[in-house]
Amino acid sequence: MAKDYLRQSALAHLHLAALGVDDPDGAGVVLCERPFRGQLSLRGNSADHEFVEGVQGVLGVGAPLDPNTVNVAGNITVLWLGPNEWLIVTPDGQETELVERISDALAGQHFAVSDVSDSRAIIGLTGIHARDVLMKGCSLDLHPRAFNAGSCAQSSLARCHVLLHQINEIPTYDIYVHRSFSDYAWRWLEDAAREYGFAIINQSAIDVVTQRSTRKESPVSA
Amino acid sequence: MNNKPSKYSIVSLVRNALNYHQNWQEAWRSPEPKKEYDVIIVGAGGHGLATAYYLAKEHGVTDIAVLEKGWLGGGNTGRNTTIIRSNYLWDESAAIYEHALKLYEGLSQELNYNIMLSQRGVLNLAHNLHDLRELSRRVNAIRLNGVDSEILTTEQVKAMVPIMNTSPHSRYPVLGASLQRRGGTARHDAVAWGFARGADARGVDIIQNCEVTGIKRNGAGVEGVQTSRGFIKAKKIGVVAAGHSSVLADMVGLRLPIESHPLQALVSEPIKPVLDTVVMSAAVHVYVSQSDKGELVIGAGIDSYNSYAQRGSFQVVQHQIGALLELFPIFSRLRMLRQWGGIVDVCPDASPIISKTPIKGLYFNCGWGTGGFKTTPGSGWVFAHTIAQDRPHRLNEPYNLERFSTAYLIDEHGAAAVAH
Amino acid sequence: MSQQTYRLAVGGHIDRTRPLSFDFNGKRYGGYVGDTLASALLANGVHLVGRSYKYHRPRGVLSAGSEEPNALVQHGTGGATDPNFRATQVELYDELVAASQNCWPSVSFDLGAVNSLFSRVLPAGFYYKTFMWPKAFWKYYEYVIRRAAGLGRAPDAPDPAYYDNMHVHCEVLVVGGGVTGLAAALSAARADARVILADEQCEFGGGLLGAGEQIDGMSTDEWVAQAVAELASMKQVTLLPRSTVIGYFDHNFLTIAERIQDHLGPMGTPDKARQRLWKVRAKQVVLATGAHERPMVFKNNDRPGIMLASAAQTYVNRFAVKPGNNVVFFTNNDSAYGAALTLAEAGIKVAAVLDVRAQPTGRLATKVRDRGIEILGRHAIAAAMGKKRVSAVEVMMLNESADRLIGTARKIACDLVCMSAGWSPAVHLFSQSRGKLKYDANRSCFVPGDSVQAERSAGAANGTFSLAACIVEGHEAGLAAATDAGYNKNASVPKAPVRQEIEEAPVDPLWLVPAKAGEHTNKHFVDFQNDVTAADVVLAAREGYRSVEHLKRYTTMGMGTDQGKTSNVNALAIFGQVLGSDIPDVGTTTFRPPYTPVTFGVLVGRDVGELADPVRRTPMHQWHESKGAKFEDVGQWRRPWYYPLPGESMQDAVNRECLATRKAIGILDASTLGKIDIRGPHAAEFLDRIYTNGWKKLAIGRCRYGVMCGEDGMVFDDGVTARLGENHYWMTTTTGNAARVLAWLEEWLQTEWPELKVYCNSMTEHWATASVAGPLARKLVAKLTSDIDFDPDNFPFMSCREGAVAGIPARVFRISFTGELSFEINVRSSCGRALWNTLMTVGEQYGITPFGTEAMHVLRAEKGFIIAGQETDGTVTPIDLGLEPMVSKRKDFIGKRSLSRPDTQREDRKQLVGLLPVDAREVLPEGSQIVEKVDDKPPVPMIGHVTSSYYSAYLERSIALALIKRGRSRHGETVQVPLEDKVVPAKISAPQFYDPEGVRING
Amino acid sequence: MLLIKCPWCGDRDEHEFSYGGEAHIVRPRDPEKLTDDQWADYLFMRKNPKGAHLERWVHAHGCRRWFNVERDTVTHAITAVYKMNEKPPRSSKT
Ligand SMILES: Cc1cc2nc3c(=O)[nH]c(=O)nc-3n(C[C@H](O)[C@H](O)[C@H](O)COP(=O)(O)OP(=O)(O)OC[C@H]3O[C@@H](n4cnc5c(N)ncnc54)[C@H](O)[C@@H]3O)c2cc1C
Ligand SMILES: NC(=O)c1ccc[n+]([C@@H]2O[C@H](COP(=O)([O-])OP(=O)(O)OC[C@H]3O[C@@H](n4cnc5c(N)ncnc54)[C@H](O)[C@@H]3O)[C@@H](O)[C@H]2O)c1
Ligand SMILES: Cc1cc2nc3c(=O)[nH]c(=O)nc-3n(C[C@H](O)[C@H](O)[C@H](O)COP(=O)(O)O)c2cc1C
Ligand SMILES: [Zn+2]
């Protein structure tokens, strides 16, 4: 792992840290970059017990087998991407070791695990109008009747491909977007959020804020 | 039989005005089909009607029926963006498209029907270095083939179309363009109607609401067609059914390298003239001109899937209008009046098939896809020759069916991307 | 400011506490919040609003809604001006500015009206018959015709507004918020379905807003308010006023254009979008779109002051405006009697009601008669008098079969004519959904037939015209829709409302008032906007244009901005009469989106300007920007093209970049190259099938160049692939094809070869790549690396190693696209910038120079390396490129069979060669065509073209690559390249100009 | 805009998918043994029917899986969706 000072997040050039606040009082939409997480691409045959158990053994949680769902155990999150494809998200710095542990556990099987931590930037989005902002560019049915905390889906947001993960019922989302598109995605989100009033939050504060908020239905997405 | 039609002119208009236009003759008759014809043309689009017209005029074949399942000119001929040009890359294409353009240049007079040919110039824009390279390759080839074509700089484009956004900061900067000054537009309906009137006057029976439902074979040849109005015998059958070509081919067990796709167009509300040139951008899939009635006529890309629905999907239009507004920001507040679709017959090499078939007396003219309005007279002219002589004209020889086996393809994808 | 002399003292939905002033044709007028521009003009006694398209006839307000063909205005100014706005839909705001269009110098005195004098020589389609001689004159004719084209003006500056899009899903979309739609929405929402209710007007209520009736003992206003309040209180309901459902597409996808701020004019908030497009995916749709009243077709029926009966009623009830003082009604059905009562109660003198039917018997008719108003059975208006405002009508008897006017004409003075020729259900969206219409002869209208999509029509849209029945039908439709969408199967419909039903007598169609003896129907307007008269319809039929679609196109009937909402049915009925066909046999023309015109801006939403299309950035992008790089677009990427220093031309910069690379070190951001991780026991077999060459024998840690073809044998992409492990490969692709190649691999794996155990993953974005090239490259990387042995024997050309470069874990490939010793260093994207910075800093001592794509192109061309998409264009085989040694004879691969077809085997195919202009300073333009010799007359046979061409600073001469027929056997021959102003001779050579032996690759 | 049911992800908008043309065109086992005409048939000739069409789609912006669809080319109604290794619905003629 390279030293921290050698690393730059996907949106570093926007200097979000300098613009971020801790308390986005009154903003209908709150955005932040969630830089630096370990991300692994895992491929394997979900119909094969050995594979499924091998993964479970290493992660302490199984790779979700239901489409568009997420399994979480401790600080590991596993998102379903396809019937033989998952994204494993870990705290920063654990990815290399995890690749090795999975490779060891599955040795001899047909599988693929690769470190893709820097493939996707992650944008955190929350606030009572968070869903409305997404609806402006995403054709998924994100209404609580169809999409909830614990749901994930790949789709497009405006003109880029995204992986959406709904974290809680505020709702708060993690938006995974390919790194080279992240500048566009961020600008698009800011523009789409403008009518609701938006704030950039410090990434350290977003979890605090989202825990504090109570659930409110926004008018349009009802 | 010859039906001498009343001649159209300002004089005849004034004369007819005196008695409130009670005496105009039918532009074409609506005859009952006979039991038998020398030649049956399937499809009364522009190409089918032109074929019949030139068969009668150039080859003395007049015992012809043109069978049309709907109303004449109601296929792609009646729904295209009317762009006419001949600036194609390959020699084979340049020859046939230029032949067509030349015929167009005298067509109003020849048909005594004003097709409103408007040679206001066609611009093809380049937005990146790759476009620019391809553009200059095309312009050089076109000129060596004796067709007019020139390259314009960004400044020259701006001077010609001042309302265009030529800022280098545009998402689709205009790095240059090719211009064919003789290119332009013609009134699509008038082309069909003029040929229909001309063919009818030479004795051709145009039979509408008559769908061909089967082609009867007779050994190695053809015997006639089954239609919604009964069986009609014919010595020769020329199929010019555009989007429906595969359906007709299927009737005799022929397979074609054709897929039918929706292609859309739309018009804005009419506004006072702001755009006097045809502007095309293959890279961003926008084609726009302003008609003599004032509406902006805008072409889109094809939908990816096969379809006979005569309509396309919304996102195609949305995407294309996005590009349009980047090029013409002042159009943002103008309004779309109507959108529609056609069924285009797309060939793998984006070039047509004008060919004999393995079945004697059966000929196909299809595969014009997104860009055959501009060849209507030329296509009819060579197809008439092919049918009358039972061999292709030099101009359509390369456009045979065998080329898919020999690989002698005429790949006009660059010119066509979606070409109009 | 002019007084609102036609404003009623009480009533209406206008807010009298909020007066507004506005400007029409330069004059100031007053109105109120709640007015439309049309109602405010009428309140001020202004009936002359515009001019028609062809004859420039004076026109007024026909309707009170979106079907308006006549009252079109130019709204606003500057960049925010809108042509062709319907005054009947423009909500009044303070300081609104509008003007008549298509007239000069003024609407009242319009010179274009001379056309009207010639109208007899200008029948339908006249332009097809003339302007042909002399041939050369057409362009002058066209010039004049074009000057006359169009209605309003386009803005002359970019749009200051911004627009929005929104996707939404619901169980039930209810279109139309009249009584039917409100009832449907209530029932569906009570069943807990997610409901969207959209109506194009600013308030819900639809026809009820103008009606003044009673439901369940409440006034209609109270009923509407109650319904809206209940809907607003339910969180599963989205209410969308000012929202027109414009399109009904496949699979219940509908689009709604919401006008968020148009009614605020320039006072809107800049943070909000002007308009928003809702893209709805509905499980079920209820179409409650109401019906349009039809005008009567009689002589001069287009005069200002002649309007639809229901419109007049709406102006009185909803806007508290008297559209006139003295009115004549002309109807063939009972609904106009309701309007007559309304007008009479408002104090307007009803001079007479003319009814086509001999004995109008409905209860409303009786009520009218009871008020002492004269009802003239079997009477018609023979003609209207007055030019800029109707002043009187000439009234005559109809004969029994209503095809002749008989008796003596009687003149009735009036300043308003209200007409009703029956109702046409608004079946537009139903038809767009592909439903087929059926003709209902009893009600004389087309009604929806069977549904094709998950949709149902209700209320007036379904041909149900009585209020009580509309409510019941609405509730039923709403509940059925919710049920079908899976909601609350046992809810029930409220009982029918209590309301005294008004008996109606059946409508008796009269499609065309016959012309008086000796006259013609050439002033009987059918399509007002396009000036299509009954005579034009007759002419089209006479001339053989016998399909309704020919009628439409020959006369332009229904092609105006109103799309014939009020005129189409009249026109086709008249057409049917001429042809002797029944109306259902004549059929309608095709209904197409949008229902009413919609701005291009809202279709696009926020995808404009910098958001028009993503610009992809590499991790080093900002560095390039800060160094003043010029960029080029490659797909969506923006790559550095060259890095000019102050005062440098492009050529200077490229020369410097090339020389630095050849002589010291150049550095290129190669992050955009596609990188695909390929793993599995069958990975080698898979590559064997994809690439033309073999892969099984490649040693671990080594790299190989590969070319892939489509099944047609034409080169599709190329790149270097490395073997990282026994079952593990790393493929690189060109920048532009990265996504396509991955999709291509997946397609073959999943669809054709599912038995192959291979996984492909895109790694393009995870890795940043810096390519350092040049004789000093090894020095630099070795200096920054301690755990890789850079000794040429241990790290040979075409191999790869892992280690830390500049303290960053890296994958280093020793491959070369420049012909120099070169290393491609891949690190995690987050470290890309740090790697680059370090290379630049440490490389300074070696003269490291960043180079862009242009220099890269020069350097590779000097070596004769191709670029897919530049040397290839989809018609070039690997053999044409001279890559025959790479085309395996032993195995099959995609496209192999195509290489042995007659044309791909042809001897005179174009082959890749080098081309050296005889004059070494002459750089051939790329795309130049190559000929044997220049004839003075076209066509000149072409033997090939220039694919790449540059000035090579290193070779101090121009070089080019070209595809030339039989080129490989022609090295040494001279060919001609004709340019705009001269012909350049050039010599064919091998396509390698620099270091053909490949020594430099070792540094 | 079509609504396509990905066999894994369920109903999604058309724009998430890419079209792959006619389904069940099997790549010839030994292309070298084919005549030019037979090869051309595989490469270019298509049924292009008016009516029921068996075709391939890939959920490009979703789970990246290919699958088959039976769709009417006139009404665009989708009558079946089935995975790559599954058989077409019996109703359709292949
Ligand atoms: C939206 C759009 C925009 C376009 N823009 C341009 C452009 O700008 N420039 C350009 O050059 N080209 C353009 N084209 C292409 C051009 O319209 C066509 O290539 C050309 O009109 C084809 O003419 P046609 O006579 O062959 O076909 P059509 O006009 O389609 O005629 C074929 C006829 O065959 C009939 N038919 C089919 N089956 C049967 C049957 N079984 N029995 C009887 N009759 C049958 C059909 O009803 C139809 O009338 C465009 C096409 C579309 C759809
Ligand atoms: N007596 C008669 O002959 C007669 C005829 C017609 C209507 N009516 C009366 O009219 C009422 C009919 O009620 P209803 O609710 O069926 O119709 P309505 O006309 O009251 O309501 C229809 C609503 O749909 C809206 N609309 C239409 N197309 C739309 C679109 N594409 N997008 C958004 N909104 C759109 C209109 O603005 C209108 O508000 C009843 O009161 C009935 O008695 C009577
Ligand atoms: C060049 C051109 C110009 C057109 N202009 C108009 C127009 O001004 N108004 C209009 O309503 N339709 C216009 N149309 C569209 C036609 O109304 C119609 O949609 C098209 O011919 C396809 O037929 P369909 O919609 O009946 O299927 C135009 C079509 C073309 C090809
Ligand atoms: Zn899926």
Side-chain angles (χ1 to χ4, degrees), chain C residues 940-962:
Chain C
V940 186
M942 289 163 259
I943 57 169
H945 71 282
V946 175
T947 58
S948 298
S949 173
Y950 312 94
Y951 180 75
S952 162
Y954 187 86
L955 301 170
E956 295 182 333
R957 62 154 303 133
S958 57
I959 57 166
L961 297 174

Side-chain angles (χ1 to χ4, degrees), chain C residues 250-251 253 281 434 711 742 746-748 750-752 760-761 892-894 896-898 901-902, chain D residues 1-3 13 26-27 31-32 34-36 39 42-44 56 64-66 74 76 78 84:
Chain C
D250 287 330
H251 300 182
F253 179 76
R281 189 69 79 167
R434 271 169 195 291
E711 272 291 40
L742 180 64
E746 280 291 346
E747 179 172 359
W748 284 99
Q750 291 183 39
T751 66
E752 204 65 42
C760 300
N761 276 310
D892 189 21
F893 57 85
I894 295 169
K896 183 177 189 186
R897 174 64 184 80
S898 287
R901 296 177 298 169
Chain D
M1 180 146 41
L2 309 180
L3 184 66
D13 264 4
V26 181
R27 186 171 197 268
E32 300 295 317
L34 302 187
T35 64
D36 289 336
W39 182 246
Y42 159 69
L43 275 185
F44 298 125
R56 299 198 311 210
R64 302 204 292 138
R65 293 307 97 188
W66 281 90
V74 180
H76 295 174
I78 293 179
M84 282 320 296

Side-chain angles (χ1 to χ4, degrees), chain B residues 78-80 82 187-188 267 293 295 297 337-338 340, chain C residues 549 552-553 558-559 563 590 592:
Chain B
R79 47 193 73 243
N80 71 83
T82 75
R187 190 77 201 161
H188 54 294
V267 285
K293 246 172 67 221
E295 74 273 19
V297 181
L337 171 59
R338 185 173 173 101
W340 65 90
Chain C
E549 298 288 3
K552 158 180 157 173
R553 288 159 178 82
M559 295 180 80
Q563 292 283 289
T590 306
R592 294 279 191 183

Side-chain angles (χ1 to χ4, degrees), chain C residues 444-633:
Chain C
S444 291
C445 61
F446 283 98
V447 293
D450 296 334
S451 296
V452 173
Q453 298 204 35
E455 149 280 328
R456 33 179 68 71
S457 296
N462 199 29
T464 301
F465 296 132
S466 95
L467 178 55
C470 282
I471 296 181
V472 174
E473 219 173 276
H475 277 298
E476 284 173 356
L479 183 62
T483 310
D484 284 357
Y487 279 80
N488 208 11
K489 313 219 168 348
N490 31 21
S492 67
V493 173
K495 63 179 175 23
V498 189
R499 171 178 178 274
Q500 208 193 355
E501 202 46 39
I502 298 165
E503 282 162 44
E504 289 199 23
V507 52
D508 182 1
L510 173 69
W511 302 111
L512 171 64
V513 174
K516 284 197 290 188
E519 289 193 357
H520 294 268
T521 55
N522 59 340
K523 296 278 155 55
H524 292 49
F525 285 87
V526 179
D527 181 314
F528 294 105
Q529 191 174 110
N530 280 349
D531 282 333
V532 181
T533 65
D536 289 324
V537 174
V538 175
L539 177 66
R542 176 179 304 129
E543 292 199 86
Y545 300 87
R546 296 163 143 260
S547 153
V548 65
E549 298 288 3
H550 285 151
L551 166 71
K552 158 180 157 173
R553 288 159 178 82
Y554 194 58
T555 63
T556 71
M557 170 286 286
M559 295 180 80
T561 63
D562 60 322
Q563 292 283 289
K565 290 191 179 62
T566 55
S567 60
N568 282 351
V569 175
N570 282 339
L572 62 93
I574 295 169
F575 195 52
Q577 280 175 0
V578 184
L579 296 175
S581 312
D582 292 338
I583 291 175
D585 294 337
V586 173
T588 63
T589 52
T590 306
F591 293 85
R592 294 279 191 183
Y595 175 72
T596 52
V598 56
T599 57
F600 290 132
V602 80
L603 292 181
V604 176
R606 70 189 63 256
D607 293 355
V608 291
E610 71 164 6
L611 299 177
D613 204 0
V615 171
R616 298 179 68 181
R617 302 161 55 102
T618 72
M620 291 80 115
H621 191 96
Q622 211 191 13
W623 188 92
H624 308 314
E625 271 178 347
S626 71
K627 291 293 178 278
K630 297 276 180 229
F631 288 88
E632 94 165 290
D633 284 340

Side-chain angles (χ1 to χ4, degrees), chain D residues 61-87:
Chain D
H61 287 273
C63 66
R64 302 204 292 138
R65 293 307 97 188
W66 281 90
F67 56 95
N68 295 313
V69 168
E70 181 187 50
R71 188 181 54 94
D72 189 301
T73 57
V74 180
T75 64
H76 295 174
I78 293 179
T79 38
V81 169
Y82 54 104
K83 295 181 183 169
M84 282 320 296
N85 53 358
E86 293 171 350
K87 289 221 157 34

Side-chain angles (χ1 to χ4, degrees), chain B residues 42-49 67-85 88 210-213 240-245 247-248 251 262-265 299-300 340-345 365-366 368-376 379 419-420:
Chain B
V42 184
H47 290 222
L49 293 164
L67 308 184
E68 168 55 53
K69 72 181 169 72
W71 39 285
L72 71 84
N76 293 339
T77 301
R79 47 193 73 243
N80 71 83
T81 49
T82 75
I83 300 171
I84 290 178
R85 59 191 177 88
Y88 278 67
C210 179
E211 176 166 4
V212 172
T213 53
V240 207
H244 279 79
S245 300
V247 178
L248 271 296
M251 294 174 188
L263 178 66
Q264 301 185 77
W340 65 90
I343 312 167
V344 295
D345 40 336
N365 182 345
C366 59
W368 291 100
T370 59
F373 176 69
K374 64 177 73 68
T375 43
T376 305
S379 156
H420 293 298

